[in-house]
């Protein structure tokens, strides 16, 4: 089983990113599960979402405490919350940022990739300057960095899941897939 934990802030698209990612794996014949965890304050507050992927039925129904991989939509969370708690050594961390990763603890223990998902989302009219919606961009970046799920499956998931601006969202995923930078 592959377990992925997504960290973000309410309104960025963490929950939908988790669901799109699960749907992409589903399109490749996997069994999946996706669900969120957040408190009463959602907009701007830290949010986690969870995705499980397996070759057999997923029966576990709890939060993910020891993920194989992380997706980070708000890089500030890296310094303010222990997001790597439980992350397996050698796991991927996909970070939405336009700055270099200078945390050597991350780059020595994990595979790290960065993508400016905010810029990509804004380039495609997804969200606003103060609140870009980066869910499709970050899923594209995850696929591009890890190669665990294919770009065509991501496109199918977006097409079937996203109700508005389908082409903009698909192109954002493609741009992130092609533009993700491997740090370590």
């Amino acid at each position: 089983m592959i377990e992925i934990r997504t960290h973000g802030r309410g309104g960025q698209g963490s929950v939908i990113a988790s669901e799109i990612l699960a749907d992409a794996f589903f399109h490749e014949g996997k069994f999946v599960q996706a669900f969120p965890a957040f408190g009463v304050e959602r907009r701007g507050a830290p949010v986690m979402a969870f995705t499980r992927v397996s070759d057999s039925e997923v029966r576990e129904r709890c939060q993910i405490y020891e993920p194989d991989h992380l997706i980070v939509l708000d890089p500030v969370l890296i310094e303010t919350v222990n997001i790597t708690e439980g992350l397996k050594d050698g796991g991927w961390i996909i970070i939405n940022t336009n700055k270099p990763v200078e945390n050597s603890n991350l780059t020595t223990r994990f595979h790290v990739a960065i993508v400016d998902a905010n810029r990509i989302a804004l380039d495609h009219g997804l969200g606003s300057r103060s609140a870009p919606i980066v869910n499709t961009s970050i899923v594209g970046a995850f696929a591009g960095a890890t190669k665990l799920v294919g770009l065509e499956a991501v496109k199918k998931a977006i097409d079937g899941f996203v109700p508005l601006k389908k082409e903009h969202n698909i192109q954002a995923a493609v741009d992130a897939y092609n533009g993700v930078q491997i740090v370590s």
Side-chain angles (χ1 to χ4, degrees):
M1 181 174 324
I2 299 170
E3 296 183 314
I4 304 157
R5 191 170 64 208
T6 301
H7 292 267
R9 294 198 180 273
Q12 285 187 297
S14 303
V15 174
I16 300 300
S18 178
E19 292 175 357
I20 291 170
L21 185 58
D23 198 46
F25 276 106
F26 179 78
H27 283 291
E28 292 190 343
K30 302 294 185 183
F31 290 85
V32 297
Q33 177 189 81
F35 60 96
F38 46 77
V40 294
E41 292 183 36
R42 290 189 276 175
R43 173 90 35 210
V47 172
M48 286 189 293
F50 309 99
T51 307
R52 286 192 173 94
V53 180
S54 180
D55 290 325
S56 58
E57 188 175 340
V58 178
R59 295 181 180 266
E60 202 166 338
R61 302 279 189 248
C62 63
Q63 291 187 18
I64 295 172
Y65 297 101
E66 296 180 347
D68 296 289
H69 310 291
L70 294 177
I71 296 172
V72 183
L73 301 185
D74 182 353
V76 173
L77 294 173
I78 293 169
E79 305 303 325
T80 60
V81 177
N82 184 9
I83 61 159
T84 61
E85 182 177 7
L87 179 61
K88 295 174 184 164
D89 282 346
W92 279 96
I93 305 174
I94 312 302
I95 305 170
N96 170 24
T97 186
N98 62 0
K99 297 177 181 155
V101 174
E102 296 177 6
N103 186 331
S104 62
N105 186 39
L106 292 182
T107 57
T108 57
R109 293 184 52 210
F110 311 109
H111 298 286
V112 178
I114 62 171
V115 66
D116 191 350
N118 288 345
R119 182 195 49 77
I120 292 170
L122 292 173
D123 286 350
H124 293 287
L126 305 172
S128 65
R129 281 188 120 18
S130 62
I133 300 172
V134 299
N135 47 24
T136 53
S137 302
I138 206 73
V139 171
F142 179 88
T146 68
K147 305 297 189 221
L148 292 172
V149 64
L151 181 59
E152 290 308 310
V154 170
K155 289 178 182 180
K156 285 180 188 175
I158 292 168
D159 185 52
F161 199 86
V162 175
L164 302 172
K165 295 188 175 184
K166 285 182 191 290
E167 288 304 317
H168 296 276
N169 279 286
I170 289 171
Q171 192 56 53
V174 169
D175 289 354
Y177 181 92
N178 292 323
V180 66
Q181 298 174 354
I182 308 301
V183 176
S184 65

